[in-house]
Amino acid sequence: MAGVEGRVIAVTGAGGGLGREYALLLARSGAKVIVNDLGGARDGSGRGNTAADTVVAQIRDTGGEAVANYDSVATREGGAAVVQTALDTFGRIDGVVANAGILRDRTFHKMPAADWDAVLRVHLDGAFHVIRPAFPHLRDQRHGRIVVVTSTSGIYGNFGQANYAAAKSGLIGLIRTLAIEGRRHNILANAIAPLAATRMTEDIASAEVLEKLPPAHVAPVVGYLLTDESTETGSVLVAAGGNVHRVAQFQTRGVTFPEVPTIDQVAHRWREIVDLDGALPGTSPLA
């Protein structure tokens, strides 16, 4: 196979916004798409079939292959049902785009536990709930592509988004580990941090800024990461308004203390510890 042609790819939260763009592009490129969407509001409330059904109809009207799934990825059963829909309809699963998400923004000192839990359940747990049942199939066929949707909030932080940032940062740790575990099975895992004009960002940036961030700019990057030709794995890519760049971690040269230091000794050498001059790509001390 070449590109994504003939591949079966599940896209969560594909009833609108960026997820819809991913699903439509993948279908135009020859993939068979599971269009998952709960059909709820931006904060996760409510549900309905219209969003997913509309995208499936658009794909089929242009000669593509797609099937709708309305399960919530916030539960293990819902995530498993997304994968099962792929198996029941197309007989296999080749890729997952963990895109489903909600927003419940609030400053940390005012954030109720319910808002923390709800956001992590959809973004972080939701990715696990779909990827975990897909993973054995990807291993058995020695081929798989995984893309999780992170955020610049998860990379850099953002005011009023402690829950969202924590979930999105967790997804980066997830794909880095999946990249390590999946390497010998030809399973590649990456993260995309998109900036685009969708209902998730409609009141976060000005209309002037959002005008420069059409969702269509992001989809080809996600599409490439799902292709047979892609060899990228364990990477975080930011895509916004036509600009695409990779974000990586670096480590300073640091300081080695021959004996357990005192607080004053650490303080004395603090500038050396944090000095980024000559920093190198970060590596795990356990690698």
Side-chain angles (χ1 to χ4, degrees), residues 24-65:
L24 292 175
L25 178 62
L26 290 169
R28 287 198 303 270
S29 303
K32 302 171 183 178
V33 185
I34 293 81
V35 178
N36 161 263
D37 203 286
L38 180 67
R42 192 174 74 161
D43 65 357
S45 61
R47 62 186 306 152
N49 299 353
T50 303
D53 285 344
T54 300
V55 176
V56 169
Q58 287 179 283
I59 290 172
R60 290 178 177 173
D61 286 347
T62 55
E65 294 186 68

mmCIF file of all heavy atoms in Angstrom, residues 24-65:
data_model
loop_
_atom_site.group_PDB
_atom_site.id
_atom_site.type_symbol
_atom_site.label_atom_id
_atom_site.label_comp_id
_atom_site.label_asym_id
_atom_site.label_seq_id
_atom_site.Cartn_x
_atom_site.Cartn_y
_atom_site.Cartn_z
ATOM 1 N N LEU A 24 -12.202 13.871 6.510
ATOM 2 C CA LEU A 24 -12.466 14.145 5.101
ATOM 3 C C LEU A 24 -11.204 13.969 4.253
ATOM 4 O O LEU A 24 -11.253 13.376 3.167
ATOM 5 C CB LEU A 24 -13.009 15.563 4.937
ATOM 6 C CG LEU A 24 -14.405 15.829 5.516
ATOM 7 C CD1 LEU A 24 -14.761 17.314 5.397
ATOM 8 C CD2 LEU A 24 -15.467 14.977 4.841
ATOM 9 N N LEU A 25 -10.073 14.463 4.744
ATOM 10 C CA LEU A 25 -8.831 14.334 3.990
ATOM 11 C C LEU A 25 -8.406 12.873 3.871
ATOM 12 O O LEU A 25 -7.989 12.416 2.799
ATOM 13 C CB LEU A 25 -7.719 15.147 4.643
ATOM 14 C CG LEU A 25 -6.350 15.035 3.963
ATOM 15 C CD1 LEU A 25 -6.400 15.566 2.535
ATOM 16 C CD2 LEU A 25 -5.278 15.762 4.767
ATOM 17 N N LEU A 26 -8.509 12.140 4.967
ATOM 18 C CA LEU A 26 -8.131 10.726 4.927
ATOM 19 C C LEU A 26 -8.998 9.960 3.938
ATOM 20 O O LEU A 26 -8.501 9.129 3.164
ATOM 21 C CB LEU A 26 -8.252 10.117 6.328
ATOM 22 C CG LEU A 26 -7.205 10.596 7.342
ATOM 23 C CD1 LEU A 26 -7.587 10.149 8.746
ATOM 24 C CD2 LEU A 26 -5.821 10.078 6.975
ATOM 25 N N ALA A 27 -10.303 10.238 3.948
ATOM 26 C CA ALA A 27 -11.206 9.557 3.026
ATOM 27 C C ALA A 27 -10.890 9.922 1.575
ATOM 28 O O ALA A 27 -10.886 9.050 0.698
ATOM 29 C CB ALA A 27 -12.656 9.908 3.363
ATOM 30 N N ARG A 28 -10.604 11.189 1.314
ATOM 31 C CA ARG A 28 -10.237 11.601 -0.041
ATOM 32 C C ARG A 28 -8.946 10.932 -0.498
ATOM 33 O O ARG A 28 -8.735 10.734 -1.695
ATOM 34 C CB ARG A 28 -10.062 13.128 -0.109
ATOM 35 C CG ARG A 28 -11.340 13.919 -0.039
ATOM 36 C CD ARG A 28 -11.149 15.347 -0.541
ATOM 37 N NE ARG A 28 -10.109 16.076 0.166
ATOM 38 C CZ ARG A 28 -10.314 16.798 1.262
ATOM 39 N NH1 ARG A 28 -11.541 16.870 1.784
ATOM 40 N NH2 ARG A 28 -9.317 17.452 1.826
ATOM 41 N N SER A 29 -8.112 10.572 0.463
ATOM 42 C CA SER A 29 -6.826 9.944 0.154
ATOM 43 C C SER A 29 -6.923 8.421 0.083
ATOM 44 O O SER A 29 -5.901 7.754 -0.072
ATOM 45 C CB SER A 29 -5.791 10.351 1.204
ATOM 46 O OG SER A 29 -5.666 11.757 1.266
ATOM 47 N N GLY A 30 -8.143 7.894 0.219
ATOM 48 C CA GLY A 30 -8.351 6.466 0.029
ATOM 49 C C GLY A 30 -8.470 5.636 1.287
ATOM 50 O O GLY A 30 -8.596 4.408 1.223
ATOM 51 N N ALA A 31 -8.454 6.277 2.446
ATOM 52 C CA ALA A 31 -8.610 5.531 3.691
ATOM 53 C C ALA A 31 -10.088 5.232 3.948
ATOM 54 O O ALA A 31 -10.976 5.921 3.444
ATOM 55 C CB ALA A 31 -8.032 6.316 4.857
ATOM 56 N N LYS A 32 -10.315 4.196 4.730
ATOM 57 C CA LYS A 32 -11.654 3.871 5.226
ATOM 58 C C LYS A 32 -11.726 4.410 6.652
ATOM 59 O O LYS A 32 -10.902 4.050 7.490
ATOM 60 C CB LYS A 32 -11.868 2.361 5.193
ATOM 61 C CG LYS A 32 -11.701 1.779 3.789
ATOM 62 C CD LYS A 32 -11.700 0.259 3.820
ATOM 63 C CE LYS A 32 -11.448 -0.297 2.417
ATOM 64 N NZ LYS A 32 -11.395 -1.781 2.401
ATOM 65 N N VAL A 33 -12.703 5.266 6.900
ATOM 66 C CA VAL A 33 -12.678 6.067 8.121
ATOM 67 C C VAL A 33 -13.833 5.734 9.057
ATOM 68 O O VAL A 33 -14.983 5.634 8.633
ATOM 69 C CB VAL A 33 -12.720 7.568 7.774
ATOM 70 C CG1 VAL A 33 -12.579 8.410 9.036
ATOM 71 C CG2 VAL A 33 -11.604 7.929 6.785
ATOM 72 N N ILE A 34 -13.479 5.563 10.342
ATOM 73 C CA ILE A 34 -14.495 5.476 11.388
ATOM 74 C C ILE A 34 -14.640 6.885 11.945
ATOM 75 O O ILE A 34 -13.692 7.447 12.515
ATOM 76 C CB ILE A 34 -14.115 4.492 12.511
ATOM 77 C CG1 ILE A 34 -14.097 3.063 11.980
ATOM 78 C CG2 ILE A 34 -15.107 4.590 13.670
ATOM 79 C CD1 ILE A 34 -12.853 2.691 11.244
ATOM 80 N N VAL A 35 -15.790 7.478 11.741
ATOM 81 C CA VAL A 35 -16.060 8.843 12.183
ATOM 82 C C VAL A 35 -16.736 8.770 13.545
ATOM 83 O O VAL A 35 -17.936 8.547 13.658
ATOM 84 C CB VAL A 35 -16.957 9.591 11.174
ATOM 85 C CG1 VAL A 35 -17.266 11.005 11.674
ATOM 86 C CG2 VAL A 35 -16.289 9.650 9.810
ATOM 87 N N ASN A 36 -15.937 8.929 14.593
ATOM 88 C CA ASN A 36 -16.486 8.882 15.946
ATOM 89 C C ASN A 36 -16.816 10.285 16.429
ATOM 90 O O ASN A 36 -15.997 11.198 16.311
ATOM 91 C CB ASN A 36 -15.481 8.245 16.908
ATOM 92 C CG ASN A 36 -15.789 8.577 18.368
ATOM 93 O OD1 ASN A 36 -15.200 9.496 18.937
ATOM 94 N ND2 ASN A 36 -16.719 7.864 18.959
ATOM 95 N N ASP A 37 -18.008 10.457 16.969
ATOM 96 C CA ASP A 37 -18.359 11.721 17.606
ATOM 97 C C ASP A 37 -19.569 11.505 18.502
ATOM 98 O O ASP A 37 -20.579 10.929 18.084
ATOM 99 C CB ASP A 37 -18.672 12.810 16.579
ATOM 100 C CG ASP A 37 -18.471 14.197 17.179
ATOM 101 O OD1 ASP A 37 -19.313 14.621 17.990
ATOM 102 O OD2 ASP A 37 -17.456 14.842 16.846
ATOM 103 N N LEU A 38 -19.446 11.964 19.735
ATOM 104 C CA LEU A 38 -20.542 11.862 20.692
ATOM 105 C C LEU A 38 -21.672 12.827 20.359
ATOM 106 O O LEU A 38 -22.815 12.620 20.747
ATOM 107 C CB LEU A 38 -19.999 12.130 22.103
ATOM 108 C CG LEU A 38 -20.972 12.089 23.274
ATOM 109 C CD1 LEU A 38 -21.500 10.675 23.481
ATOM 110 C CD2 LEU A 38 -20.287 12.578 24.553
ATOM 111 N N GLY A 39 -21.311 13.895 19.648
ATOM 112 C CA GLY A 39 -22.320 14.882 19.270
ATOM 113 C C GLY A 39 -22.693 15.842 20.376
ATOM 114 O O GLY A 39 -23.780 16.431 20.358
ATOM 115 N N GLY A 40 -21.797 16.010 21.361
ATOM 116 C CA GLY A 40 -22.085 16.887 22.487
ATOM 117 C C GLY A 40 -21.610 18.305 22.280
ATOM 118 O O GLY A 40 -21.051 18.658 21.242
ATOM 119 N N ALA A 41 -21.810 19.111 23.314
ATOM 120 C CA ALA A 41 -21.369 20.505 23.290
ATOM 121 C C ALA A 41 -19.882 20.583 23.607
ATOM 122 O O ALA A 41 -19.244 19.581 23.940
ATOM 123 C CB ALA A 41 -22.170 21.314 24.311
ATOM 124 N N ARG A 42 -19.344 21.796 23.548
ATOM 125 C CA ARG A 42 -17.906 21.985 23.756
ATOM 126 C C ARG A 42 -17.466 21.560 25.155
ATOM 127 O O ARG A 42 -16.326 21.139 25.358
ATOM 128 C CB ARG A 42 -17.545 23.450 23.514
ATOM 129 C CG ARG A 42 -16.054 23.704 23.411
ATOM 130 C CD ARG A 42 -15.746 25.118 23.020
ATOM 131 N NE ARG A 42 -15.957 26.062 24.107
ATOM 132 C CZ ARG A 42 -15.431 27.279 24.144
ATOM 133 N NH1 ARG A 42 -14.693 27.706 23.142
ATOM 134 N NH2 ARG A 42 -15.664 28.096 25.147
ATOM 135 N N ASP A 43 -18.373 21.642 26.136
ATOM 136 C CA ASP A 43 -18.011 21.256 27.499
ATOM 137 C C ASP A 43 -18.293 19.791 27.787
ATOM 138 O O ASP A 43 -18.146 19.317 28.915
ATOM 139 C CB ASP A 43 -18.745 22.134 28.522
ATOM 140 C CG ASP A 43 -20.264 21.934 28.506
ATOM 141 O OD1 ASP A 43 -20.772 21.153 27.659
ATOM 142 O OD2 ASP A 43 -20.953 22.555 29.338
ATOM 143 N N GLY A 44 -18.717 19.054 26.741
ATOM 144 C CA GLY A 44 -18.952 17.625 26.897
ATOM 145 C C GLY A 44 -20.380 17.256 27.229
ATOM 146 O O GLY A 44 -20.719 16.065 27.303
ATOM 147 N N SER A 45 -21.243 18.229 27.420
ATOM 148 C CA SER A 45 -22.637 17.938 27.742
ATOM 149 C C SER A 45 -23.427 17.600 26.483
ATOM 150 O O SER A 45 -23.087 18.035 25.386
ATOM 151 C CB SER A 45 -23.277 19.138 28.444
ATOM 152 O OG SER A 45 -23.261 20.275 27.600
ATOM 153 N N GLY A 46 -24.488 16.803 26.662
ATOM 154 C CA GLY A 46 -25.364 16.449 25.552
ATOM 155 C C GLY A 46 -24.758 15.413 24.633
ATOM 156 O O GLY A 46 -23.616 15.000 24.787
ATOM 157 N N ARG A 47 -25.576 14.965 23.687
ATOM 158 C CA ARG A 47 -25.097 14.024 22.684
ATOM 159 C C ARG A 47 -26.089 13.964 21.535
ATOM 160 O O ARG A 47 -27.229 14.395 21.653
ATOM 161 C CB ARG A 47 -24.873 12.628 23.281
ATOM 162 C CG ARG A 47 -26.115 11.936 23.841
ATOM 163 C CD ARG A 47 -25.713 10.638 24.525
ATOM 164 N NE ARG A 47 -24.937 9.785 23.648
ATOM 165 C CZ ARG A 47 -24.024 8.902 24.093
ATOM 166 N NH1 ARG A 47 -23.798 8.767 25.379
ATOM 167 N NH2 ARG A 47 -23.358 8.154 23.243
ATOM 168 N N GLY A 48 -25.642 13.407 20.408
ATOM 169 C CA GLY A 48 -26.506 13.291 19.241
ATOM 170 C C GLY A 48 -25.748 12.654 18.088
ATOM 171 O O GLY A 48 -24.517 12.592 18.100
ATOM 172 N N ASN A 49 -26.485 12.196 17.097
ATOM 173 C CA ASN A 49 -25.879 11.484 15.967
ATOM 174 C C ASN A 49 -25.594 12.363 14.753
ATOM 175 O O ASN A 49 -24.885 11.944 13.838
ATOM 176 C CB ASN A 49 -26.794 10.337 15.522
ATOM 177 C CG ASN A 49 -27.011 9.313 16.617
ATOM 178 O OD1 ASN A 49 -26.387 9.375 17.672
ATOM 179 N ND2 ASN A 49 -27.898 8.368 16.364
ATOM 180 N N THR A 50 -26.151 13.550 14.731
ATOM 181 C CA THR A 50 -26.112 14.380 13.528
ATOM 182 C C THR A 50 -24.695 14.692 13.058
ATOM 183 O O THR A 50 -24.392 14.619 11.857
ATOM 184 C CB THR A 50 -26.888 15.689 13.752
ATOM 185 O OG1 THR A 50 -28.224 15.376 14.142
ATOM 186 C CG2 THR A 50 -26.913 16.531 12.491
ATOM 187 N N ALA A 51 -23.820 15.064 13.985
ATOM 188 C CA ALA A 51 -22.469 15.491 13.603
ATOM 189 C C ALA A 51 -21.726 14.388 12.860
ATOM 190 O O ALA A 51 -21.199 14.593 11.760
ATOM 191 C CB ALA A 51 -21.686 15.920 14.844
ATOM 192 N N ALA A 52 -21.678 13.196 13.443
ATOM 193 C CA ALA A 52 -20.968 12.077 12.807
ATOM 194 C C ALA A 52 -21.649 11.673 11.504
ATOM 195 O O ALA A 52 -20.980 11.415 10.491
ATOM 196 C CB ALA A 52 -20.889 10.889 13.765
ATOM 197 N N ASP A 53 -22.971 11.610 11.516
ATOM 198 C CA ASP A 53 -23.711 11.199 10.313
ATOM 199 C C ASP A 53 -23.468 12.159 9.143
ATOM 200 O O ASP A 53 -23.375 11.738 7.985
ATOM 201 C CB ASP A 53 -25.208 11.135 10.613
ATOM 202 C CG ASP A 53 -25.595 9.924 11.443
ATOM 203 O OD1 ASP A 53 -24.771 8.982 11.539
ATOM 204 O OD2 ASP A 53 -26.707 9.914 11.998
ATOM 205 N N THR A 54 -23.386 13.446 9.445
ATOM 206 C CA THR A 54 -23.168 14.451 8.393
ATOM 207 C C THR A 54 -21.811 14.255 7.729
ATOM 208 O O THR A 54 -21.690 14.322 6.491
ATOM 209 C CB THR A 54 -23.275 15.867 8.983
ATOM 210 O OG1 THR A 54 -24.571 16.050 9.540
ATOM 211 C CG2 THR A 54 -23.028 16.913 7.910
ATOM 212 N N VAL A 55 -20.786 13.989 8.524
ATOM 213 C CA VAL A 55 -19.449 13.784 7.959
ATOM 214 C C VAL A 55 -19.399 12.502 7.140
ATOM 215 O O VAL A 55 -18.824 12.458 6.045
ATOM 216 C CB VAL A 55 -18.383 13.765 9.079
ATOM 217 C CG1 VAL A 55 -16.997 13.459 8.503
ATOM 218 C CG2 VAL A 55 -18.364 15.103 9.810
ATOM 219 N N VAL A 56 -20.019 11.447 7.652
ATOM 220 C CA VAL A 56 -20.072 10.185 6.899
ATOM 221 C C VAL A 56 -20.777 10.386 5.565
ATOM 222 O O VAL A 56 -20.323 9.889 4.518
ATOM 223 C CB VAL A 56 -20.775 9.081 7.724
ATOM 224 C CG1 VAL A 56 -21.074 7.856 6.860
ATOM 225 C CG2 VAL A 56 -19.896 8.681 8.905
ATOM 226 N N ALA A 57 -21.880 11.137 5.573
ATOM 227 C CA ALA A 57 -22.614 11.402 4.331
ATOM 228 C C ALA A 57 -21.742 12.176 3.340
ATOM 229 O O ALA A 57 -21.749 11.884 2.130
ATOM 230 C CB ALA A 57 -23.883 12.184 4.636
ATOM 231 N N GLN A 58 -20.988 13.155 3.834
ATOM 232 C CA GLN A 58 -20.095 13.920 2.958
ATOM 233 C C GLN A 58 -19.055 13.009 2.317
ATOM 234 O O GLN A 58 -18.744 13.137 1.133
ATOM 235 C CB GLN A 58 -19.389 15.013 3.760
ATOM 236 C CG GLN A 58 -20.276 16.183 4.140
ATOM 237 C CD GLN A 58 -19.518 17.210 4.952
ATOM 238 O OE1 GLN A 58 -19.260 17.033 6.142
ATOM 239 N NE2 GLN A 58 -19.139 18.295 4.312
ATOM 240 N N ILE A 59 -18.508 12.100 3.098
ATOM 241 C CA ILE A 59 -17.494 11.184 2.580
ATOM 242 C C ILE A 59 -18.094 10.253 1.534
ATOM 243 O O ILE A 59 -17.535 10.057 0.444
ATOM 244 C CB ILE A 59 -16.862 10.378 3.733
ATOM 245 C CG1 ILE A 59 -15.997 11.299 4.610
ATOM 246 C CG2 ILE A 59 -16.028 9.205 3.199
ATOM 247 C CD1 ILE A 59 -15.490 10.656 5.881
ATOM 248 N N ARG A 60 -19.237 9.702 1.831
ATOM 249 C CA ARG A 60 -19.872 8.751 0.908
ATOM 250 C C ARG A 60 -20.335 9.448 -0.370
ATOM 251 O O ARG A 60 -20.279 8.855 -1.456
ATOM 252 C CB ARG A 60 -21.036 8.054 1.608
ATOM 253 C CG ARG A 60 -20.588 7.086 2.703
ATOM 254 C CD ARG A 60 -21.764 6.449 3.412
ATOM 255 N NE ARG A 60 -21.331 5.473 4.409
ATOM 256 C CZ ARG A 60 -22.145 4.870 5.276
ATOM 257 N NH1 ARG A 60 -23.446 5.156 5.277
ATOM 258 N NH2 ARG A 60 -21.664 4.003 6.152
ATOM 259 N N ASP A 61 -20.779 10.692 -0.233
ATOM 260 C CA ASP A 61 -21.247 11.433 -1.411
ATOM 261 C C ASP A 61 -20.132 11.681 -2.424
ATOM 262 O O ASP A 61 -20.397 11.891 -3.614
ATOM 263 C CB ASP A 61 -21.854 12.782 -0.995
ATOM 264 C CG ASP A 61 -23.221 12.624 -0.339
ATOM 265 O OD1 ASP A 61 -23.797 11.512 -0.431
ATOM 266 O OD2 ASP A 61 -23.697 13.598 0.271
ATOM 267 N N THR A 62 -18.905 11.646 -1.950
ATOM 268 C CA THR A 62 -17.765 11.865 -2.853
ATOM 269 C C THR A 62 -17.040 10.558 -3.168
ATOM 270 O O THR A 62 -15.892 10.574 -3.618
ATOM 271 C CB THR A 62 -16.780 12.877 -2.241
ATOM 272 O OG1 THR A 62 -16.385 12.432 -0.929
ATOM 273 C CG2 THR A 62 -17.418 14.248 -2.121
ATOM 274 N N GLY A 63 -17.712 9.437 -2.905
ATOM 275 C CA GLY A 63 -17.159 8.144 -3.272
ATOM 276 C C GLY A 63 -16.261 7.497 -2.252
ATOM 277 O O GLY A 63 -15.656 6.444 -2.517
ATOM 278 N N GLY A 64 -16.155 8.075 -1.062
ATOM 279 C CA GLY A 64 -15.302 7.506 -0.023
ATOM 280 C C GLY A 64 -16.035 6.488 0.831
ATOM 281 O O GLY A 64 -17.243 6.280 0.696
ATOM 282 N N GLU A 65 -15.286 5.848 1.723
ATOM 283 C CA GLU A 65 -15.858 4.834 2.611
ATOM 284 C C GLU A 65 -15.718 5.301 4.055
ATOM 285 O O GLU A 65 -14.627 5.657 4.499
ATOM 286 C CB GLU A 65 -15.139 3.494 2.437
ATOM 287 C CG GLU A 65 -15.338 2.859 1.069
ATOM 288 C CD GLU A 65 -14.718 1.466 0.997
ATOM 289 O OE1 GLU A 65 -15.222 0.553 1.668
ATOM 290 O OE2 GLU A 65 -13.718 1.321 0.273
#
